[in-house]
Amino acid sequence: MPVPKPAEISPAKGKLGVLLVGLGAVSTTFIAGVEAIKKGIADPIGSLTQMGTIRLGKRTDNRVPLIKDFVPLAKLEDLVFGAWDIFPDSAFEAAMHAGVLEKDLLAKIRTPLQKIKPMKAVFDQSYVKRLQGTNVKEGASKMKLAEQLIDEIAQWRKKNKCSRVVMIWAASTEIFLKQHAVYKNLDTFEKAMRENHKAIAPSMIYAYAALRSGIPFANGAPNLTVDVPALRMLAETNQLPICGKDFKTGQTLMKTIIAPGLKSRMLGLHGWYSTNILGNRDGEVVDDPDSFKTKEESKLSVLEYILQPEVYPKLYKDFSHVVRINYYPPRGDNKEGWDNIDIFGWLGYPMQIKIDFLCRDSILAAPIVLDLALFLDLAQRTGMKGIQEWLSFYFKSPQTAPGLYPEHDIFIQLMKLKNTLRHLRGEDLITHLGLEYYD
């Protein structure tokens, strides 16, 4: 499918500020990783923007550039980091406390990490019941808190001489919230902020402040956040890209790889039982039933959308899907995701698949943060606004236009992402039809 002409993309000149909500395991692993890569003591493994390639034209053309050479992304050397957190620890202290990365590695990048001190966070314990912190903002209303953030963003941007900024939520999972009347439009949303309405969660205050400040926003948790009409409208009006929800890391990553394979071979599913044990702050937070509900909703939807039981009732109708998350402190960030999958094949004969994924949550999440920061910046420089569904590849519960079901198949998501990049550069989209080789 030919594209008439390339999109006009402003060059990535100057510094790109990456503002992180939360300076915990994910954010510190991301920042430390970028600093280590810049020093040449590590490789950006897991990052599509840094290590991925993209095929252009026919297979026989042998045009396979790196993505970072194909589209004008910000350079790692131009990234500047800032953060908010409920604890006052520097990025170095927070990374040491998180225990994800080896102390020897952190010692080599200690200086840049120590310079990153978190700003006071917008925090309300009623939304994250298992955490308490001292580095917290005070304000007469949620609107006043948002105004503090807007001022702080402007000051931080000026101080760090950033020509562009993106914001990424890498903080904890909030309690489960449903769509509410106050989200209807910007007027009702702002009125609710001034009145301290309980439907306005801290993550929404950050998103509002970002969008008011002309900054793209990505939501790395399953919180509702920007997935409400008022903030979608604000993003559209201010011509800003947004995306979310919930970084796709361990067990759900496996589901989006395995389930499409089962469906492609028309293998049936009786049940999929998933359990996780982890001991980091995220595990502590989702140990609370209200926060777990938010995470559960994000994780449960994946199989339904991939397998389409309404289209394939004989294979997938009424399959049992159970998800458990257990907080187990000795594991720290080293999560174990265990899956028991009961499938059936020819003539209904039963089979089983067992997966024991011993993963490191923040190691899987860090390159996602990097890619989202660079791709959101690219999207803004291209004039792309509103929901960026082409970034669904990175999320457990991808944000889509109202009334449109999300695509969870990771292979379709990757094709969508790469075809979007081809489209931006005026290259033919690749359908994999392949008939042109046999004409």
Side-chain angles (χ1 to χ4, degrees), residues 258-298:
I258 301 297
L262 297 177
K263 180 182 170 185
S264 71
R265 289 293 302 269
M266 292 290 101
L267 295 171
L269 179 69
H270 285 309
W272 196 311
Y273 178 85
S274 301
T275 189
N276 298 265
I277 56 173
L278 72 163
N280 60 11
R281 193 182 298 173
D282 189 41
E284 184 178 7
V285 168
V286 297
D287 200 40
D288 168 64
D290 290 331
S291 290
F292 172 71
K293 174 67 174 173
T294 309
K295 179 69 77 171
E296 183 182 37
E297 290 288 318
S298 173

Side-chain angles (χ1 to χ4, degrees), residues 1-3 55 57 415 418-424 426-432:
M1 176 180 174
V3 177
R55 188 191 117 199
M415 187 185 299
K418 289 190 174 183
N419 269 338
T420 300
L421 299 180
R422 294 182 184 105
H423 173 78
L424 294 181
E427 291 282 346
D428 288 351
L429 307 190
I430 290 182
T431 64
H432 299 286

Side-chain angles (χ1 to χ4, degrees), residues 19-20 22-23 28 31 81-94 110-121 135 137 152 156 159-160:
L19 283 171
L20 300 156
L23 192 59
T28 56
I31 296 170
F81 307 110
W84 294 271
D85 201 87
I86 64 173
F87 302 107
D89 297 346
S90 71
F92 176 77
E93 293 164 333
R110 179 175 188 143
T111 300
L113 294 185
Q114 281 186 323
K115 291 179 181 178
I116 301 171
K117 303 285 178 63
M119 296 171 276
K120 288 186 176 181
N135 200 47
K137 281 182 169 54
E152 205 165 41
W156 184 90
K159 177 184 176 183
N160 290 281

Side-chain angles (χ1 to χ4, degrees), residues 214-366:
I215 294 174
F217 185 91
N219 177 20
N223 313 329
L224 207 53
T225 316
V226 283
D227 203 5
V228 297
L231 293 180
R232 288 198 300 265
M233 292 175 195
L234 183 57
E236 291 276 349
T237 301
N238 289 356
Q239 297 189 308
L240 296 166
I242 56 174
C243 59
K245 302 173 296 196
D246 206 3
F247 298 142
K248 179 158 58 180
T249 51
Q251 196 167 61
T252 306
L253 174 63
M254 290 294 104
K255 285 181 178 175
T256 62
I257 293 170
I258 301 297
L262 297 177
K263 180 182 170 185
S264 71
R265 289 293 302 269
M266 292 290 101
L267 295 171
L269 179 69
H270 285 309
W272 196 311
Y273 178 85
S274 301
T275 189
N276 298 265
I277 56 173
L278 72 163
N280 60 11
R281 193 182 298 173
D282 189 41
E284 184 178 7
V285 168
V286 297
D287 200 40
D288 168 64
D290 290 331
S291 290
F292 172 71
K293 174 67 174 173
T294 309
K295 179 69 77 171
E296 183 182 37
E297 290 288 318
S298 173
K299 292 167 78 73
L300 282 174
S301 62
V302 173
L303 293 183
E304 289 283 346
Y305 284 118
I306 292 177
L307 298 176
Q308 299 176 287
E310 71 286 355
V311 178
Y312 303 102
K314 289 187 177 180
L315 296 176
Y316 307 120
K317 185 181 179 183
D318 299 327
F319 68 85
S320 176
H321 187 196
V322 178
V323 175
R324 297 284 182 266
I325 301 176
N326 295 293
Y327 177 50
Y328 182 55
R331 281 300 174 95
D333 199 68
N334 295 325
K335 183 167 73 175
E336 182 167 4
W338 184 84
D339 291 86
N340 175 78
I341 312 166
D342 288 287
I343 66 173
F344 58 93
W346 185 249
L347 307 180
Y349 274 70
M351 296 174 280
Q352 288 189 346
I353 300 172
K354 311 283 189 184
I355 302 173
D356 191 10
F357 189 18
L358 297 160
C359 63
R360 295 175 178 238
D361 230 26
S362 298
I363 294 295
L364 293 169

